[in-house]
Amino acid sequence: MTTTPRTAEVARDTAETKIAVRLNLDGTGQSKLATGIGFFDHMLDQIARHGMIDLDVQCQGDLHIDGHHTVEDVGIAIGQAVKQAVGDKRGITRYGHAYVPLDEALSRVVIDFSGRPGLVTDVQFTSGMIGAFDTQLLHEFFQGFVNHAFVTLHIDNLKGVNAHHQAETIFKAFGRALRMALTPDSRAAGQIPSTKGML
């Protein structure tokens, strides 16, 4: 177990959004979320609960236009916070993966704290909207996250008929994969998990 708290606070203030993120990577899955998009809050809660991350996200965005800037910028801010909290990555597992089902839907997420941003998604949503959440924005959230957390992320929705289920399995699997990758490896304590000697 790590001895230094892996916590971070990030503030992002632009003409489009005003965001404050606080997180604890070694938390208990508690969340306090207010983005103005109910379904998005529900998905962020999945990351917190299944990632065992304490996550506080407060966002005031230009929702009178649409949800794009809010969702993308929250992804950016969470990515920045995760990068800050992880630090030099000594002793982490580095890789994480998860398969998560929800009724007829099944998704797989694989993550590598590689130090290189990369996103590959294969998700064919059966609906364009889930409540007030535009399903196209799922990609934008994760693109913002990987660009600023400097991770490689593969997301595949393998099966699904209900769009809510498709999205929920993705966010749950992401939380689980994140948790696995960030878990300290007792056999590699103090080591950077790379032959390069840095990540």
Side-chain angles (χ1 to χ4, degrees):
M1 189 68 182
T2 57
T3 55
T4 304
R6 297 188 296 174
T7 61
E9 295 187 25
V10 167
R12 178 178 171 84
D13 195 351
T14 73
E16 298 164 341
T17 58
K18 183 176 182 179
I19 300 170
V21 170
R22 298 175 62 187
L23 59 77
N24 178 1
L25 298 181
D26 303 302
T28 59
Q30 302 300 306
S31 65
K32 183 180 178 183
L33 308 164
T35 66
I37 304 173
F39 183 76
F40 187 39
D41 288 348
H42 181 44
M43 294 300 97
L44 294 176
D45 185 49
Q46 303 307 319
I47 297 174
R49 288 177 183 269
H50 293 277
M52 293 302 285
I53 295 168
D54 292 342
L55 182 62
D56 184 336
V57 178
Q58 305 299 310
C59 177
Q60 297 176 351
D62 54 1
L63 295 179
H64 61 286
I65 298 175
D66 66 8
H68 190 287
H69 300 140
T70 291
V71 174
E72 180 181 27
D73 288 5
V74 166
I76 290 170
I78 293 176
Q80 290 172 336
V82 167
K83 183 177 186 296
Q84 180 181 320
V86 172
D88 67 5
K89 305 172 193 169
R90 288 183 188 278
I92 67 168
T93 300
R94 175 176 168 175
Y95 300 100
H97 64 272
Y99 285 82
V100 171
L102 175 56
D103 297 341
E104 88 298 343
L106 174 66
S107 292
R108 174 183 61 217
V109 173
V110 183
I111 192 167
D112 174 14
F113 275 79
S114 60
R116 299 180 304 278
L119 176 66
V120 179
T121 61
D122 187 357
V123 183
Q124 304 298 319
F125 277 109
T126 59
S127 176
M129 297 293 292
I130 308 169
F133 182 81
D134 182 345
T135 55
Q136 293 182 90
L137 299 184
L138 180 138
H139 185 275
E140 301 306 319
F141 169 79
F142 286 111
Q143 189 69 70
F145 176 83
V146 302
N147 284 349
H148 293 268
F150 288 83
V151 301
T152 301
L153 184 65
H154 287 252
I155 298 173
D156 295 280
N157 174 239
L158 304 175
K159 296 179 181 179
V161 175
N162 181 291
H164 185 131
H165 293 172
Q166 288 177 288
E168 189 162 334
T169 56
I170 289 167
F171 277 90
K172 285 178 174 177
F174 174 69
R176 286 277 169 174
L178 201 59
R179 179 177 172 182
M180 179 187 291
L182 293 175
T183 296
D185 183 346
S186 60
R187 296 176 64 192
Q191 298 179 34
I192 294 176
S194 172
T195 55
K196 296 181 179 70
M198 64 174 291
L199 283 170

